[in-house]
Amino acid sequence: MMLLNFSQRCHCACWAILIGICLVSGCSKKPVAAKAPPPPEVYVDQPIERTITNYEEYTGRMAAVKTVELRARVSGYLDRVQFEDGADLPKDALLFQIDDRPFLAAVSQAQSTVSQLEARLERLRRTEDRAFRLIEQKVTTTEDYEVAKYQALETKSELEAARANLDIAKLNLEFTTIRSPIDGRISRRLVDPGNLVQADITPLATIVSLDPLYAYFDADERTVLQVRRLIAEGKIRSARDQTIQVQIALADDRQFSLTGTIDFVDNQVTATTGTLRIRAVVDNPKKLLSPGMFVRVRVPIGVPHPALLIREESLASDQGERFVYVVGTDNQVEVRPVVIGKLDGKFRVIESGLKPDDRVVVTGLQRVKNGSVVTPKPYKNASDEVTGTPPIHSEILIGQPVPAPSK
């Protein structure tokens, strides 16, 4: 093995030190700083300014304006049924026929009695006239004349009673034919031909009118007091003085597509429920509605006033408190508490907390927080126009705005 002298060992040591220094200096090179992420993008929109009227919604039930439970007015065996179950029938349409043979016989008997008494009365009147002439001739006594006279009067009374019995017999004969008292839709028949029908007892069928219909609903006491205070202040007038319009929505309809007019407000609040019964008349020319259906009734409350509306998805909630994110001029997000009102289609009424020029975050709420900086973009959605529900009219529950006096 070759041995290195001292100078060679020193030379090798120097090279080793230099190589170590280079390796150390290469490993300790300073890293490049990472770039900060850009502010998150959010879509913003400004509140919509509209003139609206506050409203309340109630659950109502449709009812027929006219409902008739058909019953026979004479007893007898049912002979024929002249309608199809569930058919729409006009007034005076033939429905049931009771066997009329006993009633025809009763009419004939009563007519015979009348004829018999008419003949007897005629004979007694002639006897009375003859007795009167004989008295003038002093051939008979006054007593004979009075007997003939009073016999004629008695027979006249009997004839009047017989004629009344004849009228009753004819009326009973007429009652064997049962006709529809109204225009409407009939139910199924409850009695088949051949069965005995008892007068005023046996139900035969039910017929209801379909156009128009009533919509009954119950207003809560709080709303009733609110409206009556407005009436007392002279801001509105009572529904008893004006025709008030309400909006109707069906069970499968999100929009209030039908209208009605209030025609009745009860005279007292129900003690058990604390509500006031109200009735509206709803036209039903297409027979879409039926008695017994549940509907939603929208009743305007108060007078029209300007309001701001935002999209429902802009609202956030924290422990029951509603708020929105508002983007300032420096693109910094601010949490803004708001007081919300009624829902109008896809838009929510904001009672307070916003200004018309505020930029409200619509989408991307999960990417923002109070004080963060964002990149706002205008919210555009052609399929989400401000349609909402049909316009809310100025009329209210039991009153409407009082017009300004003419100058």
Side-chain angles (χ1 to χ4, degrees):
M1 182 175 181
M2 181 190 269
L3 298 176
L4 299 177
N5 56 25
F6 177 77
S7 61
Q8 291 175 333
R9 290 197 299 269
C10 290
H11 183 72
C12 291
C14 291
W15 277 106
I17 293 172
L18 289 173
I19 293 172
I21 292 173
C22 291
L23 292 174
V24 172
S25 63
C27 294
S28 62
K29 185 178 179 180
K30 187 176 180 181
V32 180
K35 293 183 179 180
E41 293 183 354
V42 296
Y43 289 90
V44 298
D45 197 11
Q46 290 183 334
I48 301 168
E49 296 183 78
R50 291 177 63 183
T51 299
I52 67 168
T53 303
N54 293 334
Y55 61 86
E56 295 289 343
E57 290 186 13
Y58 302 100
T59 299
R61 183 184 286 273
M62 304 306 297
V65 174
K66 297 178 181 179
T67 302
V68 179
E69 188 179 71
L70 298 171
R71 296 176 186 268
R73 302 181 68 174
V74 292
S75 298
Y77 286 91
L78 186 62
D79 191 20
R80 296 188 305 275
V81 176
Q82 300 291 113
F83 65 91
E84 295 292 333
D85 292 350
D88 291 332
L89 301 172
K91 184 179 179 181
D92 295 328
L94 181 59
L95 302 179
F96 297 94
Q97 179 64 55
I98 296 175
D99 186 5
D100 60 355
R101 290 173 295 179
F103 299 94
L104 286 171
V107 171
S108 298
Q109 182 179 7
Q111 182 66 60
S112 299
T113 303
V114 169
S115 300
Q116 180 182 5
L117 291 173
E118 287 176 345
R120 182 188 301 177
L121 179 61
E122 180 65 21
R123 178 176 59 81
L124 291 174
R125 281 178 175 174
R126 291 184 180 183
T127 302
E128 179 186 357
D129 292 339
R130 186 168 53 255
F132 182 75
R133 290 193 300 270
L134 292 175
I135 289 178
E136 291 179 345
Q137 297 174 6
K138 298 182 180 179
V139 175
T140 186
T141 63
T142 306
E143 183 179 359
D144 293 335
Y145 168 74
E146 290 179 350
V147 169
K149 177 181 178 181
Y150 288 119
Q151 285 180 344
L153 290 175
E154 290 176 359
T155 304
K156 181 180 178 181
S157 298
E158 292 176 0
L159 176 59
E160 292 176 352
R163 287 173 176 171
N165 290 332
L166 176 60
D167 291 339
I168 293 176
K170 290 180 178 180
L171 193 60
N172 288 335
L173 177 61
E174 182 181 344
F175 287 156
T176 61
T177 301
I178 301 172
R179 299 181 180 273
S180 174
I182 60 173
D183 294 329
R185 181 171 295 172
I186 196 166
S187 66
R188 66 179 180 87
R189 65 179 183 272
L190 301 178
V191 179
D192 293 322
N195 287 288
L196 176 63
V197 174
Q198 293 184 341
D200 303 323
I201 296 178
T202 306
L204 301 177
T206 301
I207 186 169
V208 296
S209 61
L210 294 179
D211 185 24
L213 289 177
Y214 286 143
Y216 285 95
F217 60 97
D218 298 319
D220 58 277
E221 191 172 336
R222 175 186 59 82
T223 303
V224 174
L225 291 173
Q226 177 186 355
V227 171
R228 290 182 177 175
R229 288 193 178 99
L230 292 173
I231 295 175
E233 294 170 1
K235 296 180 180 179
I236 58 175
R237 286 186 290 189
S238 171
R240 296 179 175 89
D241 303 324
Q242 295 287 338
T243 300
I244 308 304
Q245 191 175 66
V246 297
Q247 296 172 331
I248 308 293
L250 305 181
D252 64 342
D253 193 358
R254 298 184 62 183
Q255 303 295 331
F256 288 81
S257 56
L258 302 175
T259 59
T261 55
I262 293 176
D263 75 325
F264 167 75
V265 179
D266 209 347
N267 60 354
Q268 59 182 343
V269 174
T270 304
T272 55
T273 60
T275 57
L276 184 68
R277 175 60 57 90
I278 302 173
R279 185 181 70 193
V281 181
V282 184
D283 291 332
N284 188 33
K286 297 181 179 180
K287 306 297 190 296
L288 180 63
L289 302 172
S290 293
M293 277 187 174
F294 282 101
V295 293
R296 288 180 291 126
V297 183
R298 172 176 285 183
V299 184
I301 303 296
V303 295
H305 62 277
L308 299 178
L309 293 86
I310 64 172
R311 288 177 169 80
E312 179 71 10
E313 59 265 31
S314 303
L315 289 167
S317 178
D318 182 17
Q319 296 182 353
E321 298 294 331
R322 308 305 295 270
F323 66 90
V324 296
Y325 291 109
V326 178
V327 179
T329 56
D330 55 354
N331 292 341
Q332 190 172 7
V333 176
E334 173 192 355
V335 172
R336 188 78 60 81
V338 293
V339 177
I340 64 173
K342 296 293 183 180
L343 185 66
D344 186 11
K346 296 182 179 181
F347 293 81
R348 176 70 68 172
V349 176
I350 302 300
E351 301 290 348
S352 63
L354 286 179
K355 295 179 294 183
D357 57 349
D358 285 334
R359 295 186 298 173
V360 180
V361 178
V362 179
T363 62
L365 274 67
Q366 68 278 6
R367 297 194 298 270
V368 299
K369 61 181 180 179
N370 189 28
S372 63
V373 178
V374 297
T375 302
K377 290 187 176 183
Y379 182 85
K380 297 292 183 182
N381 190 349
S383 64
D384 190 20
E385 298 295 334
V386 186
T387 55
T389 55
I392 301 175
H393 300 276
S394 59
E395 294 87 358
I396 68 166
L397 173 64
I398 50 175
Q400 69 175 20
V402 177
S406 58
K407 296 182 180 180

Coordinates of all heavy atoms in Angstrom, one line a residue, residues 270-327:
T270 N -115.1 33.8 16.5 CA -115.3 32.5 17.1 C -114.5 32.4 18.4 O -113.3 32.5 18.3 CB -115.0 31.4 16.2 OG1 -115.8 31.5 15.0 CG2 -115.4 30.0 16.8
A271 N -115.1 32.2 19.5 CA -114.4 32.2 20.8 C -113.4 31.0 20.9 O -112.4 31.2 21.5 CB -115.4 32.1 21.9
T272 N -113.7 29.9 20.3 CA -112.9 28.7 20.5 C -111.6 28.8 19.6 O -110.6 28.3 20.0 CB -113.6 27.4 20.0 OG1 -114.2 27.6 18.7 CG2 -114.8 27.2 21.0
T273 N -111.7 29.5 18.5 CA -110.5 29.6 17.6 C -109.9 31.0 17.5 O -108.8 31.2 17.1 CB -110.9 29.2 16.2 OG1 -111.9 30.0 15.7 CG2 -111.4 27.7 16.2
G274 N -110.6 32.0 18.0 CA -110.1 33.4 17.9 C -110.0 33.9 16.4 O -109.1 34.6 16.1
T275 N -110.9 33.4 15.6 CA -110.9 33.8 14.1 C -112.2 34.3 13.7 O -113.3 34.1 14.3 CB -110.5 32.6 13.3 OG1 -111.5 31.5 13.5 CG2 -109.1 32.1 13.6
L276 N -112.2 35.1 12.6 CA -113.4 35.6 12.0 C -113.7 35.0 10.7 O -112.8 34.9 9.8 CB -113.2 37.2 11.8 CG -114.4 37.9 11.3 CD1 -115.5 37.9 12.4 CD2 -114.0 39.4 11.0
R277 N -114.8 34.4 10.5 CA -115.2 33.7 9.3 C -115.5 34.8 8.2 O -116.3 35.7 8.3 CB -116.4 32.8 9.5 CG -117.0 32.1 8.3 CD -116.0 31.2 7.6 NE -115.4 30.2 8.5 CZ -116.0 29.0 8.6 NH1 -117.1 28.7 8.0 NH2 -115.4 28.1 9.4
I278 N -114.9 34.5 7.0 CA -115.0 35.4 5.9 C -115.3 34.5 4.6 O -114.9 33.4 4.6 CB -113.8 36.2 5.6 CG1 -113.4 37.1 6.8 CG2 -113.9 37.2 4.4 CD1 -112.1 37.8 6.8
R279 N -116.1 35.1 3.7 CA -116.5 34.3 2.5 C -116.3 35.1 1.3 O -116.5 36.3 1.2 CB -118.0 34.0 2.6 CG -118.5 33.1 1.5 CD -120.0 32.8 1.7 NE -120.8 34.0 1.4 CZ -122.1 34.1 1.7 NH1 -122.7 33.1 2.3 NH2 -122.8 35.2 1.5
A280 N -115.7 34.5 0.3 CA -115.5 35.1 -1.0 C -116.2 34.3 -2.1 O -116.4 33.1 -2.0 CB -114.0 35.2 -1.4
V281 N -116.7 35.0 -3.1 CA -117.4 34.4 -4.3 C -116.3 34.2 -5.4 O -115.7 35.2 -5.8 CB -118.5 35.2 -4.7 CG1 -119.2 34.6 -5.9 CG2 -119.5 35.4 -3.6
V282 N -116.2 33.0 -5.9 CA -115.2 32.7 -7.0 C -116.0 32.2 -8.2 O -116.7 31.2 -8.1 CB -114.2 31.7 -6.5 CG1 -113.1 31.4 -7.5 CG2 -113.6 32.1 -5.2
D283 N -115.7 32.8 -9.3 CA -116.3 32.3 -10.6 C -115.7 31.0 -11.0 O -114.5 30.8 -10.8 CB -116.1 33.3 -11.7 CG -117.0 34.6 -11.5 OD1 -118.1 34.4 -10.8 OD2 -116.6 35.6 -12.0
N284 N -116.5 30.1 -11.5 CA -116.0 28.7 -11.8 C -116.6 28.3 -13.2 O -117.3 27.2 -13.3 CB -116.4 27.7 -10.7 CG -115.7 26.4 -10.9 OD1 -114.6 26.2 -11.4 ND2 -116.4 25.3 -10.5
P285 N -116.3 29.0 -14.3 CA -117.0 28.7 -15.5 C -116.5 27.4 -16.1 O -117.2 26.7 -16.8 CB -116.6 29.9 -16.4 CG -115.4 30.5 -15.8 CD -115.5 30.2 -14.4
K286 N -115.2 27.0 -15.9 CA -114.7 25.8 -16.5 C -114.9 24.6 -15.5 O -114.4 23.5 -15.8 CB -113.2 26.0 -16.7 CG -112.9 27.1 -17.8 CD -111.4 27.2 -18.0 CE -111.1 28.2 -19.1 NZ -109.6 28.3 -19.3
K287 N -115.6 24.7 -14.4 CA -115.9 23.7 -13.5 C -114.6 23.0 -12.9 O -114.5 21.8 -12.7 CB -116.7 22.6 -14.1 CG -118.0 23.1 -14.8 CD -119.0 23.7 -13.8 CE -120.3 24.0 -14.4 NZ -120.3 25.0 -15.4
L288 N -113.5 23.9 -12.8 CA -112.3 23.4 -12.3 C -112.4 23.1 -10.8 O -111.8 22.2 -10.2 CB -111.2 24.4 -12.5 CG -109.8 24.0 -12.1 CD1 -109.3 22.8 -12.8 CD2 -108.8 25.2 -12.3
L289 N -113.2 23.9 -10.1 CA -113.3 23.8 -8.6 C -114.5 23.0 -8.3 O -115.5 22.9 -9.1 CB -113.5 25.2 -8.0 CG -112.3 26.2 -8.2 CD1 -112.7 27.6 -7.7 CD2 -111.0 25.7 -7.6
S290 N -114.5 22.3 -7.1 CA -115.6 21.6 -6.6 C -115.8 21.9 -5.2 O -114.9 22.2 -4.5 CB -115.4 20.1 -6.8 OG -115.3 19.7 -8.1
P291 N -117.0 21.8 -4.7 CA -117.3 22.0 -3.2 C -116.5 21.0 -2.4 O -116.4 19.9 -2.7 CB -118.8 21.8 -3.1 CG -119.3 22.1 -4.5 CD -118.3 21.6 -5.4
G292 N -115.9 21.5 -1.3 CA -115.1 20.7 -0.5 C -113.6 20.8 -0.7 O -112.8 20.3 0.1
M293 N -113.2 21.4 -1.8 CA -111.7 21.5 -2.1 C -111.1 22.5 -1.1 O -111.6 23.5 -0.7 CB -111.5 22.0 -3.5 CG -111.6 21.0 -4.6 SD -111.1 21.7 -6.2 CE -111.1 20.2 -7.2
F294 N -109.8 22.2 -0.8 CA -109.0 23.1 -0.1 C -108.3 24.1 -1.0 O -107.8 23.7 -2.1 CB -107.9 22.4 0.8 CG -108.5 21.8 2.1 CD1 -108.8 20.5 2.1 CD2 -108.8 22.6 3.2 CE1 -109.3 19.9 3.3 CE2 -109.3 22.0 4.3 CZ -109.6 20.7 4.4
V295 N -108.2 25.4 -0.7 CA -107.5 26.4 -1.5 C -106.7 27.3 -0.5 O -106.9 27.3 0.7 CB -108.5 27.2 -2.3 CG1 -109.2 26.4 -3.4 CG2 -109.5 27.9 -1.4
R296 N -105.8 28.0 -1.1 CA -105.1 29.0 -0.4 C -105.6 30.4 -0.8 O -105.8 30.7 -2.0 CB -103.6 28.9 -0.7 CG -102.9 27.7 0.0 CD -101.4 27.7 -0.3 NE -101.2 27.4 -1.7 CZ -100.4 28.1 -2.5 NH1 -99.8 29.2 -2.0 NH2 -100.2 27.8 -3.7
V297 N -105.9 31.2 0.1 CA -106.5 32.5 -0.1 C -105.5 33.6 0.3 O -105.1 33.6 1.5 CB -107.9 32.7 0.6 CG1 -108.5 34.0 0.3 CG2 -108.8 31.5 0.3
R298 N -105.2 34.5 -0.6 CA -104.3 35.6 -0.3 C -105.1 36.8 -0.2 O -105.8 37.2 -1.1 CB -103.2 35.7 -1.4 CG -102.4 37.0 -1.3 CD -101.3 37.0 -2.3 NE -100.2 36.1 -2.0 CZ -99.1 36.0 -2.7 NH1 -99.0 36.7 -3.8 NH2 -98.2 35.1 -2.4
V299 N -105.0 37.5 1.0 CA -105.8 38.7 1.3 C -104.9 39.8 1.5 O -104.1 39.9 2.4 CB -106.7 38.4 2.5 CG1 -107.5 39.7 2.8 CG2 -107.5 37.2 2.4
P300 N -104.9 40.9 0.6 CA -104.1 42.1 0.8 C -104.5 42.8 2.1 O -105.6 42.9 2.4 CB -104.4 42.9 -0.5 CG -104.9 41.9 -1.5 CD -105.7 40.9 -0.7
I301 N -103.5 43.3 2.7 CA -103.7 44.0 4.0 C -103.0 45.4 3.9 O -101.8 45.5 3.6 CB -103.0 43.2 5.2 CG1 -103.6 41.8 5.3 CG2 -103.3 44.0 6.5 CD1 -105.1 41.8 5.5
G302 N -103.7 46.4 4.2 CA -103.1 47.7 4.3 C -103.1 48.4 2.9 O -103.9 48.0 2.0
V303 N -102.3 49.4 2.8 CA -102.2 50.2 1.6 C -100.9 50.0 0.8 O -99.9 49.5 1.4 CB -102.3 51.7 1.9 CG1 -103.7 52.0 2.6 CG2 -101.2 52.2 2.9
P304 N -100.9 50.2 -0.5 CA -99.7 50.0 -1.3 C -98.5 50.9 -0.8 O -98.8 52.1 -0.4 CB -100.1 50.4 -2.7 CG -101.6 50.3 -2.7 CD -102.0 50.7 -1.4
H305 N -97.3 50.4 -0.8 CA -96.1 51.2 -0.3 C -94.9 50.7 -1.1 O -94.9 49.5 -1.5 CB -96.0 51.0 1.2 CG -95.7 49.6 1.6 ND1 -96.7 48.7 1.8 CD2 -94.5 49.0 1.9 CE1 -96.2 47.6 2.2 NE2 -94.9 47.7 2.3
P306 N -93.9 51.5 -1.3 CA -92.7 51.1 -1.9 C -91.9 50.1 -1.0 O -91.8 50.3 0.2 CB -91.9 52.4 -2.2 CG -92.4 53.3 -1.2 CD -93.9 52.9 -0.9
A307 N -91.2 49.2 -1.7 CA -90.4 48.2 -0.9 C -89.3 47.7 -1.8 O -89.3 47.9 -3.0 CB -91.3 47.0 -0.5
L308 N -88.3 47.1 -1.2 CA -87.2 46.5 -1.9 C -87.3 45.0 -1.8 O -87.7 44.4 -0.8 CB -85.8 46.9 -1.2 CG -85.5 48.4 -1.2 CD1 -84.2 48.6 -0.5 CD2 -85.4 48.9 -2.6
L309 N -87.0 44.3 -2.9 CA -87.0 42.8 -3.0 C -85.7 42.3 -3.4 O -85.0 42.9 -4.3 CB -88.1 42.4 -3.9 CG -89.6 42.6 -3.6 CD1 -90.0 44.0 -4.0 CD2 -90.5 41.6 -4.2
I310 N -85.3 41.2 -2.8 CA -84.1 40.5 -3.3 C -84.4 39.0 -3.5 O -85.4 38.6 -3.1 CB -82.9 40.6 -2.2 CG1 -83.3 39.9 -0.9 CG2 -82.6 42.1 -2.0 CD1 -82.2 39.8 0.1
R311 N -83.5 38.4 -4.2 CA -83.7 36.9 -4.4 C -83.6 36.2 -3.1 O -82.8 36.4 -2.3 CB -82.7 36.4 -5.5 CG -83.0 36.9 -6.9 CD -81.9 36.5 -7.8 NE -82.4 36.7 -9.2 CZ -82.3 37.9 -9.8 NH1 -81.7 38.9 -9.1 NH2 -82.7 38.1 -11.1
E312 N -84.5 35.2 -3.0 CA -84.6 34.4 -1.8 C -83.2 33.7 -1.4 O -82.9 33.6 -0.3 CB -85.7 33.3 -1.9 CG -85.9 32.4 -0.7 CD -86.5 33.1 0.5 OE1 -86.9 34.3 0.3 OE2 -86.5 32.5 1.6
E313 N -82.5 33.3 -2.5 CA -81.2 32.6 -2.2 C -80.1 33.5 -1.7 O -79.1 33.0 -1.2 CB -80.7 31.9 -3.5 CG -80.5 32.8 -4.6 CD -81.7 32.9 -5.6 OE1 -82.8 32.7 -5.1 OE2 -81.4 33.0 -6.8
S314 N -80.4 34.8 -1.6 CA -79.4 35.8 -1.1 C -79.4 35.8 0.4 O -78.4 36.2 1.0 CB -79.6 37.2 -1.6 OG -79.6 37.2 -3.0
L315 N -80.4 35.3 1.0 CA -80.6 35.3 2.5 C -79.8 34.2 3.2 O -79.7 33.1 2.7 CB -82.0 35.2 2.9 CG -82.9 36.5 2.5 CD1 -84.4 36.1 2.7 CD2 -82.5 37.6 3.4
A316 N -79.2 34.6 4.3 CA -78.5 33.6 5.2 C -79.1 33.8 6.6 O -79.8 34.8 6.9 CB -77.0 33.8 5.2
S317 N -78.8 32.8 7.4 CA -79.4 32.8 8.8 C -78.3 32.4 9.8 O -77.5 31.6 9.5 CB -80.5 31.8 8.8 OG -81.1 31.8 10.1
D318 N -78.4 33.1 10.9 CA -77.5 32.8 12.0 C -78.3 32.9 13.3 O -78.7 34.0 13.8 CB -76.3 33.8 12.1 CG -75.3 33.5 13.2 OD1 -75.4 32.3 13.7 OD2 -74.5 34.4 13.6
Q319 N -78.6 31.7 13.9 CA -79.3 31.6 15.1 C -80.7 32.3 15.0 O -81.1 33.1 15.9 CB -78.6 32.2 16.3 CG -77.3 31.3 16.6 CD -76.5 31.9 17.8 OE1 -76.9 32.9 18.4 NE2 -75.5 31.1 18.2
G320 N -81.3 32.1 13.9 CA -82.7 32.7 13.6 C -82.6 34.1 13.1 O -83.7 34.7 12.7
E321 N -81.5 34.8 13.1 CA -81.4 36.1 12.6 C -81.0 36.1 11.1 O -80.1 35.4 10.7 CB -80.3 36.9 13.4 CG -80.6 37.1 14.8 CD -81.9 38.0 15.1 OE1 -82.1 38.8 14.2 OE2 -82.5 37.8 16.1
R322 N -81.8 36.8 10.3 CA -81.5 36.8 8.8 C -80.6 37.9 8.5 O -80.7 39.0 9.0 CB -82.8 37.0 8.1 CG -83.9 36.0 8.5 CD -83.5 34.5 8.4 NE -83.2 34.1 7.0 CZ -84.0 33.6 6.2 NH1 -85.3 33.4 6.6 NH2 -83.7 33.3 4.9
F323 N -79.7 37.6 7.5 CA -78.7 38.7 7.1 C -78.3 38.4 5.7 O -78.6 37.3 5.1 CB -77.5 38.7 8.0 CG -76.7 37.4 7.9 CD1 -75.6 37.3 7.0 CD2 -76.9 36.4 8.8 CE1 -74.9 36.2 6.9 CE2 -76.1 35.2 8.7 CZ -75.1 35.1 7.8
V324 N -77.7 39.4 5.0 CA -77.2 39.2 3.7 C -75.7 39.7 3.7 O -75.3 40.4 4.6 CB -78.0 40.0 2.7 CG1 -79.4 39.5 2.6 CG2 -78.0 41.5 3.0
Y325 N -75.0 39.3 2.6 CA -73.6 39.8 2.4 C -73.7 40.9 1.4 O -74.2 40.7 0.3 CB -72.7 38.7 1.9 CG -72.4 37.6 2.9 CD1 -73.0 36.4 2.8 CD2 -71.6 37.9 4.0 CE1 -72.7 35.4 3.8 CE2 -71.3 36.9 5.0 CZ -71.9 35.7 4.8 OH -71.6 34.7 5.8
V326 N -73.2 42.1 1.8 CA -73.2 43.3 0.9 C -71.7 43.6 0.5 O -70.8 43.6 1.4 CB -73.8 44.5 1.6 CG1 -73.8 45.7 0.7 CG2 -75.3 44.1 1.9
V327 N -71.5 43.8 -0.8 CA -70.1 44.1 -1.3 C -70.0 45.6 -1.4 O -70.8 46.3 -2.1 CB -69.9 43.4 -2.6 CG1 -68.5 43.8 -3.2 CG2 -70.0 41.9 -2.5

